[in-house]
Amino acid sequence: MSSSGAVSRNDPTAEGILPKVTGTGLAQCRGNGRPRVERKTVLLADDSNTILMMEKMLLARENYNLVIAKDGQEAYDMALSEKPNLIVLDVVMPKLTGFEVCQKLRQQEQTRTTPILLMTTRGEEENVKKGYEAGCSDYLTKPINAAEFLAKLRLHLLGDAEASRS
Amino acid sequence: MTDSAKDGSGRHYVERVRQGAQRYGQELLEENDRLRGLVVSLETEKQNLRDQLELIRSEAERSGREQADLQQRVSEIESESRRFAEQFVEIERQNSNLANLYVASYQLVSTLDRNQVLQVIQEILANLVGSEEIAVFELEPTTGSLRLIAANGIDPAAYARVAKGQGVIGQVAITGETWIAGSDGAGQEGEERLTACVPLKLEDRVTGAIAVFRLLPQKNGLEPVDRELFDLLATHAAMALHCTALHRLAKV
């Protein structure tokens, strides 16, 4: 996968198996006479193709714009350029860890309140504590529990929508 | 007063009394008729009220039956709704399990690079099964022993080579059957932390094995989908490794 979020050879979306992942957060409902619905943008950051593919499959039915980052630095840059409604960060990533990305994003005005879900195999209490200290909104452990993942994502996106309305 | 005058006055009195009695009799008859009419109308009213009461009673019975039917329907709809919710959760779970299997299968056949295949095997075990302590072995046809080709979270030196039949891992290379902790005898020394051992198989021929040691702290034991992932790994991982070897040969 490239930093622009384009699909790679190693991606089933390339053969139309899954919805295309876009590198931009533009809403795509247009010209059908229905009210234009802004699609939520979700940034997925993980250095594992297996996890990224799993997350994309789980979110395929949810009508989100998905943007992909393969390391911590790319996740940080895309969070600022794409302005996602929610960010899912792996903890162990090259260049910057999920904790570091989370901390840096919390220092930026535009991502100060963006929901950030940290996802990791490190489920020990000290790591969870470290995640919350870094400013994450929620902490998920691998292997992915699909129901928990989707529920937390919806919950935080709902919170984000309510915050924008108020 | 003369006698004739007295007679006239008496007759007159009698006549007056007779007329009065006649009028009183007439009034009594009229009153009687009025009361009879009143009784008839009251009887009719009573009958009407009785009919209305009967109607209300039957209406109440009908409403009661309808209410019971509605209550029954509500409880049917509630239980149907609960069943749908349970089905939805079950479908979500199956969907997630299928996604796991699909992702694992897709990732294994997505590369012809041996190191990437080994990386994918480790990712599947870490991210989909929930273990970061694993060892992947390949069976050497020349020596007949299992040689460690990838490891994570364990001491590679301790498992560099495992003879066929040696401990659980060596036994799996002979039987070609997946071993799950608790399913039969415990492993030998050093295999106490072994959770599962999966043979790598090509057309029923064992070509290697994957040993899965301790699970992640948040993972409470293996689930049915993990066993399905092991079955998938047994053939797909073996095939993927075989393909990388063929590809290497073809390039040479």
Side-chain angles (χ1 to χ4, degrees), chain A residues 9-12 15 17 47-51 53-54 57-58 61 120-124 141-144 146-147 150 154, chain B residues 88 92 95-100 102-104 106-107 110-111 116 120 123-124 126-130 132 216-219:
Chain A
R9 173 190 62 78
N10 200 23
D11 192 330
E15 289 106 60
I17 298 165
D47 59 332
S48 157
N49 280 330
T50 310
I51 279 293
M53 190 177 168
M54 186 70 194
M57 284 198 80
L58 294 176
R61 291 173 303 155
T120 179
T121 50
R122 310 268 183 268
E124 299 87 355
T141 53
K142 295 175 188 175
I144 296 178
L150 291 172
R154 287 173 194 145
Chain B
F88 181 74
E92 285 273 307
N95 192 34
S96 160
N97 290 351
L98 284 173
N100 268 347
Y102 177 78
V103 168
Y106 190 93
Q107 291 295 332
S110 66
T111 178
Q116 276 189 26
V120 166
E123 280 189 10
I124 289 168
N127 296 319
L128 303 185
V129 174
E132 287 190 321
L216 293 167
Q218 66 269 20
K219 174 88 178 187

Side-chain angles (χ1 to χ4, degrees), chain B residues 166-169 179 181-182 184-194:
Chain B
Q166 182 195 338
V168 168
I169 300 169
W179 178 90
D184 55 18
Q188 65 168 39
E189 199 179 334
E191 289 182 333
E192 299 88 0
R193 293 189 312 174
L194 199 60

Side-chain angles (χ1 to χ4, degrees), chain A residues 39-69:
Chain A
R39 293 208 302 177
K40 300 276 185 183
T41 298
V42 176
L43 168 62
L44 304 173
D46 205 303
D47 59 332
S48 157
N49 280 330
T50 310
I51 279 293
L52 285 175
M53 190 177 168
M54 186 70 194
E55 289 174 345
K56 281 191 278 179
M57 284 198 80
L58 294 176
L59 298 177
R61 291 173 303 155
E62 302 282 321
N63 199 31
Y64 299 135
N65 279 324
L66 302 179
V67 285
I68 305 297

Side-chain angles (χ1 to χ4, degrees), chain B residues 1-251:
Chain B
M1 188 180 287
T2 62
D3 285 346
S4 64
K6 276 182 187 172
D7 276 356
S9 164
R11 266 199 306 275
H12 182 68
Y13 175 75
V14 167
E15 185 56 29
R16 269 176 48 209
V17 167
R18 192 184 60 80
Q19 282 175 352
Q22 221 170 17
R23 220 170 28 245
Y24 183 65
Q26 188 60 39
E27 279 173 15
L28 280 177
L29 281 173
E30 283 171 6
E31 181 64 11
N32 194 23
D33 280 350
R34 197 181 63 79
L35 287 174
R36 199 178 286 133
L38 193 64
V39 165
V40 169
S41 85
L42 284 173
E43 281 291 333
T44 310
E45 201 170 337
K46 186 178 160 190
Q47 188 57 43
N48 286 344
L49 287 172
R50 201 174 274 153
D51 290 347
Q52 276 179 19
L53 188 67
E54 191 57 36
L55 202 69
I56 287 166
R57 201 174 279 148
S58 73
E59 192 69 21
E61 276 173 16
R62 198 178 58 79
S63 296
R65 277 197 304 275
E66 270 180 15
Q67 193 184 0
D69 286 349
L70 285 172
Q71 270 170 351
Q72 168 81 9
R73 185 83 189 108
V74 165
S75 92
E76 277 172 15
I77 287 169
E78 275 175 355
S79 76
E80 202 171 342
S81 168
R82 266 197 301 276
R83 211 176 59 245
F84 279 140
E86 284 164 8
Q87 277 177 0
F88 181 74
V89 170
E90 177 59 18
I91 287 167
E92 285 273 307
R93 196 185 60 76
Q94 284 182 10
N95 192 34
S96 160
N97 290 351
L98 284 173
N100 268 347
L101 294 170
Y102 177 78
V103 168
S105 164
Y106 190 93
Q107 291 295 332
L108 280 170
V109 298
S110 66
T111 178
L112 285 168
D113 182 283
R114 183 179 167 83
N115 289 333
Q116 276 189 26
V117 169
L118 292 171
Q119 179 64 33
V120 166
I121 292 172
Q122 291 182 51
E123 280 189 10
I124 289 168
L125 290 168
N127 296 319
L128 303 185
V129 174
S131 173
E132 287 190 321
E133 294 182 6
I134 64 148
V136 184
F137 300 91
E138 210 166 42
L139 191 67
E140 281 186 335
T142 48
T143 61
S145 62
L146 293 163
R147 186 173 59 88
L148 187 72
I149 54 170
N152 188 32
I154 58 153
D155 175 18
Y159 295 93
R161 198 169 284 278
V162 178
K164 248 187 174 180
Q166 182 195 338
V168 168
I169 300 169
Q171 279 296 324
V172 164
I174 293 176
T175 62
E177 297 292 329
T178 296
W179 178 90
I180 306 277
S183 58
D184 55 18
Q188 65 168 39
E189 199 179 334
E191 289 182 333
E192 299 88 0
R193 293 189 312 174
L194 199 60
T195 299
C197 187
V198 184
L200 297 176
K201 292 201 291 188
L202 274 178
E203 294 178 332
D204 289 336
R205 182 170 53 85
V206 176
T207 60
I210 299 174
V212 179
F213 293 88
R214 212 168 40 176
L215 297 174
L216 293 167
Q218 66 269 20
K219 174 88 178 187
N220 302 317
L222 295 174
E223 294 164 25
V225 68
D226 298 323
R227 289 158 199 259
E228 288 177 43
L229 274 168
F230 289 157
D231 290 345
L232 185 140
L233 277 172
T235 54
H236 283 54
M239 179 60 79
L241 286 169
H242 184 64
C243 286
T244 63
L246 289 178
H247 183 66
R248 204 170 50 222
L249 278 175
K251 278 210 299 195

